[in-house]
Amino acid sequence: MPELPEVETIRRELEREVVGKRVKSAEVHGTRTVRRQPKKQFITRLDGVKITGVDRKGKYLLLRLDSGDELVIHLRMSGQLLRAAAKDPMPKHTHVVLTFTQGGQLRFVDPRTFGEMFVTSPDTEDVDAPELAELGIDPVEEPISWQTFARLLTARKTKLKAFLMDQTVLAGIGNIYSDEILFAAGLRYDRDTDSLSSQEIRRLYRAVIETLHEAIKYGGSTLADDQYVDLNGKPGEFQEHHKVYDREKQPCRRCRRNLVHKAKFQQRSTFFCEVCQV
DNA sequence: CGATCTACCTGATGGC
DNA sequence: TGCCATCAGGTAGATC
């Protein structure tokens, strides 16, 4: 579900709403969400800590704690982080609840249970969460030049969509935004990375930056299933600005004649305009 | 080494 | 109405 723009939207809200708060108690239900360390250890390491900051790398949220630890959260397909009052009814599939001393809760709700939470520390992160070290550049947090981007692109031989979604090269782009970026760049998903002219490379680079920033501006994308909502349960608005994603058989917003085509690429739905993307 | 498939889950949707 | 197949924002691990 959530990609960089959705996770960034949540990060900004967490910064406003939970930074400075102290955890009074942590509750864990089930065995799926906290699976990397004993539940008891997770709860103990959160007990009484103050949240001092919120960072993001790709689709990972990193909550800095005054103990020196960090709470790592990945929402995967269906995870939601929700602010609530203690008296609010507990939604189905609520797996983790942090209650703050000042009142209020942060809840982790996740029907498909692919999402994950764990507590680690910067010095043991490499062992506890090796995948974090594998993440590539976050194009919003660490802006890069188009020359650097060109080097990343030409360093691997694959299809453009696979390149964009490879978290070890660029961190944060998933199925929705890769399609939107490729449309903005006027490039097909199945072009080889080594087939681009330098003008096309620059177009792709600009499309990455602009599409992600535009999506953040609109609070991310919420599809028909309402799966993605922000910290306050509000949907995003970027889906109204999608040019291709989830717009199968609707007229292309650029050429206005051709209908958006849906294909399968590496088992995932891929939307594109056969006229505007070459 | 890299590219490609499968498993992990629940729930919504559409065809019959 | 129900039943069954298919699909969904992601990624680790297996397999080629």
Side-chain angles (χ1 to χ4, degrees):
Chain A
M1 153 184 141
E3 304 178 31
L4 187 155
E6 290 77 28
V7 180
E8 176 61 15
T9 301
I10 293 170
R11 190 198 66 77
R12 291 178 184 186
E13 293 173 322
L14 286 170
E15 206 158 57
R16 264 187 290 120
E17 300 198 37
V18 314
V19 167
K21 295 203 167 154
R22 196 172 284 281
V23 176
K24 188 166 109 188
S25 62
E27 245 175 80
V28 179
H29 301 114
T31 55
R32 296 265 316 147
T33 303
V34 179
R35 54 184 180 259
R36 199 175 289 228
Q37 71 198 135
K39 255 195 217 189
K40 210 168 152 185
Q41 189 198 47
F42 176 85
I43 291 166
T44 306
R45 287 173 81 168
L46 288 174
D47 191 41
V49 300
K50 188 166 160 186
I51 297 167
T52 56
V54 185
D55 293 323
R56 180 186 57 72
K57 177 131 190 191
K59 301 168 193 169
Y60 288 82
L61 283 167
L62 309 160
L63 276 64
R64 308 290 174 196
L65 311 175
D66 68 351
S67 57
D69 281 348
E70 55 192 13
L71 170 60
V72 181
I73 305 172
H74 197 302
L75 303 169
R76 293 285 182 100
M77 294 287 266
S78 61
Q80 299 178 331
L81 278 177
L82 298 169
R83 277 278 291 145
K87 61 175 169 44
D88 293 340
M90 203 60 76
K92 210 174 167 184
H93 306 297
T94 303
H95 302 119
V96 176
V97 180
L98 303 186
T99 303
F100 299 110
T101 53
Q102 301 92 326
Q105 296 182 329
L106 181 66
R107 297 169 175 177
F108 184 82
V109 178
D110 185 12
R112 293 176 74 180
T113 69
F114 295 166
E116 195 182 359
M117 289 177 92
F118 58 92
V119 179
T120 179
S121 71
D123 30 304
T124 57
E125 196 185 274
D126 288 356
V127 185
D128 296 347
E131 70 269 36
L132 287 176
E134 296 296 311
L135 289 175
I137 293 166
D138 183 301
V140 170
E141 287 295 301
E142 316 158 57
I144 52 169
S145 66
W146 82 266
Q147 289 92 339
T148 304
F149 179 81
R151 250 175 273 129
L152 292 175
L153 184 75
T154 49
R156 48 192 70 209
K157 181 162 168 43
T158 181
K159 307 285 182 193
L160 288 185
K161 179 152 171 160
F163 166 78
L164 289 174
M165 298 220 302
D166 185 342
Q167 303 300 302
T168 69
V169 184
L170 294 174
I173 299 168
N175 205 38
I176 294 179
Y177 295 102
S178 57
D179 282 7
E180 291 299 318
I181 288 165
L182 288 165
F183 178 85
L187 298 167
R188 278 182 64 106
Y189 66 99
D190 53 1
R191 280 280 294 277
D192 287 315
T193 46
D194 63 4
S195 74
L196 272 59
S197 68
S198 74
Q199 193 192 17
E200 286 175 325
I201 294 174
R202 267 178 303 210
R203 248 161 49 201
L204 184 59
Y205 165 76
R206 284 192 46 163
V208 168
I209 310 290
E210 285 176 9
T211 303
L212 294 175
H213 281 93
E214 198 67 2
I216 292 168
K217 195 172 109 188
Y218 287 100
S221 303
T222 299
L223 302 183
D225 59 8
D226 268 6
Q227 196 83 248
Y228 167 71
V229 289
D230 68 12
L231 210 53
N232 300 305
K234 262 186 41 199
E237 291 176 359
F238 190 67
Q239 65 282 0
E240 294 159 27
H241 302 268
H242 285 180
K243 304 286 202 303
V244 284
Y245 193 86
D246 210 16
R247 297 196 66 247
E248 187 188 12
K249 292 179 182 156
Q250 294 181 54
C252 169
R253 295 206 153 126
R254 184 174 165 277
C255 67
R256 304 195 178 277
R257 305 178 282 113
N258 192 44
L259 303 182
V260 173
H261 191 72
K262 183 179 178 178
K264 275 263 185 263
F265 175 71
Q266 293 185 347
Q267 332 287 89
R268 321 283 308 269
S269 292
T270 294
F271 300 87
F272 68 109
C273 173
E274 288 169 293
V275 171
C276 297
Q277 295 175 253
V278 294

